[in-house]
Amino acid sequence: MRMIFIGPPGAGKGTQAARLVERYAIPHISTGDMFRAAVKAGTPMGKAAAECMNKGELVGDDIVIGMVRERIAQDDAKDGFLLDGFPRTVPQAEALKSALVTDGLSLDAVLLLEVPDQLIVDRITGRRSDPETGAIYHLTFSPPPAEVADRLVHRKDDTEEACRSRLDAYHSQTAPLVPFYEAEGLLKRVDGVGKPDDVTGRIVTVLG
Ligand code: AMP
């Protein structure tokens, strides 16, 4: 199964992706996680990406495309993958398509997780993640257990200001992927509002 996940920041892609990769036994490839790891490791790519990320802007297509091409060529992605946060622009989608076509492969599904903008800001500013387990919590909607509270991390780009820039980037640069994948007959829309278990149920239903 080769799937991609699109949707605004804070739509719940990370939470749902973690569940889907277990169910379908495929690797979870999150470009945001890859960039955060590169920033933490202080690599040249991390340094180049950090400035854009902190402002809530997209990293340049060339950097992202090269990184994803290398990642999907690895052994564990041979039989499938779930791309989370990529593609985010039409040129990225075109590059992914041509990389797959070169290998005689194609995508099976594109999931669009839909959540209205007004809910996004509340979701993002209260989001915290556990660096040890990767679990994602929300201070109000999904409070963390007391024993992990001290080690939780608030992403630098989860402030209200960066969140608004990320939403602008989503609407101007990523939303055009919707007609792109609709035209390819791959787009599956899923309502991302509600409890995570309910959203997972909807995704599994549309995937059939
Ligand atoms: P995410 O964790 O998916 O919200 O990504 C965090 C940040 O990493 C984004 O706001 C961008 O700055 C950068 N990023 C992640 N994926 C991409 C991508 N496909 N294209 C450009 N920038 C990206």
Side-chain angles (χ1 to χ4, degrees):
M1 176 81 100
R2 290 181 186 82
M3 294 193 271
I4 69 178
F5 230 148
I6 56 180
K13 298 187 296 293
T15 301
Q16 296 299 329
R19 297 168 176 215
L20 292 177
V21 294
E22 249 184 60
R23 189 178 179 101
Y24 296 100
I26 48 178
H28 175 197
I29 302 179
S30 154
T31 45
D33 285 350
M34 291 167 85
F35 281 131
R36 280 183 285 279
V39 170
K40 204 169 164 194
T43 65
M45 187 183 72
K47 285 182 186 146
E51 206 179 315
C52 299
M53 292 174 76
N54 290 342
K55 284 193 279 187
E57 292 168 6
L58 295 186
V59 177
D61 282 340
D62 291 351
I63 297 181
V64 193
I65 290 167
M67 181 174 83
V68 171
R69 286 187 87 126
E70 267 180 35
R71 181 62 189 86
I72 62 176
Q74 287 173 15
D75 265 2
D76 65 334
K78 266 202 183 119
D79 296 327
F81 48 74
L82 172 56
L83 277 171
D84 163 12
F86 180 95
R88 250 179 164 103
T89 64
V90 171
Q92 291 180 19
E94 280 165 347
L96 175 64
K97 187 175 172 185
S98 70
L100 292 173
V101 166
T102 306
D103 291 335
L105 303 171
S106 57
L107 289 171
D108 297 299
V110 175
L111 291 166
L112 170 66
L113 206 49
E114 297 183 294
V115 175
D117 281 8
Q118 58 269 31
L119 274 183
I120 294 289
V121 179
D122 283 352
R123 280 194 182 187
I124 284 196
T125 51
R127 180 161 71 174
R128 299 291 184 276
S129 60
D130 183 338
E132 282 184 28
T133 63
I136 301 166
Y137 299 99
H138 187 283
L139 296 179
T140 315
F141 308 137
S142 170
E147 61 274 19
V148 306
D150 286 348
R151 65 176 190 233
L152 297 183
V153 175
H154 185 200
R155 277 170 52 171
K156 272 195 188 153
D157 57 350
D158 276 353
T159 60
E160 182 160 349
E161 197 191 350
C163 168
R164 298 220 179 262
S165 308
R166 289 161 70 201
L167 271 174
D168 287 347
Y170 177 75
H171 289 297
S172 60
Q173 291 167 275
T174 308
L177 293 178
V178 173
F180 179 94
Y181 284 121
E182 233 159 10
E184 305 240 319
L186 288 169
L187 195 81
K188 296 182 189 298
R189 293 172 184 269
V190 177
D191 177 6
V193 179
K195 293 198 185 96
D197 286 350
D198 295 340
V199 177
T200 308
R202 288 176 207 144
I203 294 174
V204 170
T205 304
V206 300
L207 289 177

